[in-house]
Amino acid sequence: MARTTDSPVAPRVSPPDLPDDLDDAEPRRGADRIAARLDLAGSADLAHSSLEQCVLTGDVETLDLTGATLLDVDMRDVRAASAPLRNASIRRLRITGGRIGTLDLSGARIDELELRDVRIDYLNLGGAKAADVLISASMIRTLDMPQAELTRVAFDDCRSDEVDPRGLRATDVDLRGLDAIAFTDANSLRGTTLTTFQVQQLAPVFAAGVGIQVRD
């Protein structure tokens, strides 16, 4: 299908819809939390929980949200060595500030995600199906996207050491705001938008992918 002059389409991201008053609540596996503030510490097990209109803050070793359902959730200045959200269902999640060692979104179903001013050592989107994602002013040391299906995703003022897009299915994915040192597989970037400078940097990888030897 021919791409239009308006491509790439920008992600449609809105802030979480939060009430003025939030009740303090404790994290618990399989819990249902609505309009709650959770101040996290130690290891927080929220696997298979349902969080709606919630704010999460704190400093933890592990924030386990595996299989959780998140609707209108705001994570503010959270520091976590590990934050697994494998197979989570997400609609309007905003993560601002803080630092996360491993943010594992593999297999997640995502509709509106914003990461802003976050430092992440390893971001895993393997097998995720995500639409409307904005990542801004963030440092992501390693970004893995194998077999991910991404629609309307944009980076703004972000840096990364290594990006692995193998098997990526991309529609309106704007990588112009991602300053990456290396892409492991440039041939998997179909459907993305790059700057002229980024394409020039990737030229040797593109050439190798189609069997061209480049020698001076």
Side-chain angles (χ1 to χ4, degrees), residues 26-99:
E26 296 293 328
R28 182 168 54 82
R29 186 181 184 90
D32 290 331
R33 298 286 186 254
I34 300 177
R37 180 186 296 103
L38 290 82
D39 190 8
L40 310 172
S43 289
D45 187 355
L46 283 159
H48 307 290
S49 296
S50 176
L51 305 180
E52 182 176 346
Q53 295 185 313
C54 291
V55 173
L56 279 62
T57 61
D59 192 338
V60 294
E61 181 65 24
T62 301
L63 171 55
D64 191 351
L65 288 160
T66 301
T69 298
L70 287 75
L71 171 60
D72 289 310
V73 173
D74 202 2
M75 293 175 56
R76 302 173 182 172
D77 296 314
V78 169
R79 298 180 64 88
S82 176
L85 285 91
R86 294 183 299 273
N87 301 315
S89 296
I90 296 168
R91 183 172 177 83
R92 279 191 301 276
L93 168 63
R94 181 172 61 185
I95 303 176
T96 54
R99 179 164 187 170

Side-chain angles (χ1 to χ4, degrees), residues 67-134:
T69 298
L70 287 75
L71 171 60
D72 289 310
V73 173
D74 202 2
M75 293 175 56
R76 302 173 182 172
D77 296 314
V78 169
R79 298 180 64 88
S82 176
L85 285 91
R86 294 183 299 273
N87 301 315
S89 296
I90 296 168
R91 183 172 177 83
R92 279 191 301 276
L93 168 63
R94 181 172 61 185
I95 303 176
T96 54
R99 179 164 187 170
I100 301 173
T102 297
L103 179 58
D104 187 355
L105 288 160
S106 58
R109 296 296 176 262
I110 301 168
D111 185 2
E112 292 192 47
L113 169 65
E114 181 178 3
L115 306 179
R116 184 174 295 276
D117 195 26
V118 188
R119 292 183 61 87
I120 301 172
D121 291 334
Y122 177 58
L123 174 56
N124 183 11
L125 286 164
K129 185 175 181 179
D132 298 309
V133 177
L134 175 61

Side-chain angles (χ1 to χ4, degrees), residues 173-192:
V173 173
D174 192 346
L175 299 177
R176 290 175 294 177
L178 177 62
D179 181 9
I181 294 176
F183 287 87
T184 58
D185 182 8
N187 294 311
S188 293
L189 294 174
R190 176 186 292 271
T192 69

